[in-house]
Amino acid sequence: FMCAAAPLARHMARAHQFLTFTTPPNLQVAVAFGLDTLGDWLAQMPVGLAASQQRLAEALAREGFAVLPSQGTYFLNLDLAASGVTLADHAFARLAVEQAGVATIPISALYETDPVTTILRLCFAKADATLDEGAERLARARDLTAQAAGGRVI
């Protein structure tokens, strides 16, 4: 969407034409280079991602989280209620980042209406050490919710 004076709008429309309907020559060269030098990257990339997915799922399960099945994505989802968390996804995600230093995505943020508020999304396209520490920090965040309630699940 654009709102501008007519002389400016003409220039912006011209720039838009070349930015969205053609690929800049330098990007074409970069893509050609990448395709020529891929090696076995395309074969190895899904293998590495599958290993990362399994590593994170297992680490989270060891920490007592209920991991939902996941295919064809870079994300795992956690069932918060089944994991002992009664906070809504947004509240728990905020607590996790602020008090345990681990960033997550509340699924409710992806809804326009009637959001699901009991699912948390985690990206597993990370280094092994990051995945391991993330699972530990998420468990710490869950423990903090119990401590805040004086031992009661909140």
Side-chain angles (χ1 to χ4, degrees), residues 1-130:
F1 178 78
M2 174 183 66
C3 182
L8 180 59
R10 280 192 295 280
H11 292 292
M12 290 175 73
R14 194 176 290 149
H16 179 266
Q17 172 72 22
F18 292 107
L19 292 173
T20 60
F21 295 109
T22 64
T23 303
N26 58 340
L27 181 56
Q28 292 177 28
V29 171
V31 169
F33 174 80
L35 291 173
D36 284 342
T37 58
L38 279 175
D40 65 347
W41 182 83
L42 281 178
Q44 293 303 314
M45 189 252 314
V47 172
L49 287 172
S52 293
Q53 178 186 29
Q54 183 175 351
R55 183 182 193 100
L56 182 58
E58 289 173 357
L60 290 165
R62 280 192 306 273
E63 295 289 353
F65 286 98
V67 181
L68 300 174
S70 172
Q71 292 180 323
T73 180
Y74 299 112
F75 301 99
L76 285 178
N77 290 324
L78 298 180
D79 181 332
L80 291 175
S83 300
V85 177
T86 58
L87 291 177
D89 61 347
H90 185 270
F92 184 72
R94 186 174 187 110
L95 178 139
V97 78
E98 289 177 352
Q99 295 186 28
V102 61
T104 62
I105 304 162
I107 288 293
S108 63
L110 306 176
Y111 284 75
E112 188 172 332
T113 60
D114 301 321
V116 171
T117 61
T118 58
I119 306 293
L120 202 62
R121 187 178 194 192
L122 308 167
C123 180
F124 59 80
K126 311 277 182 201
D128 288 350
T130 302

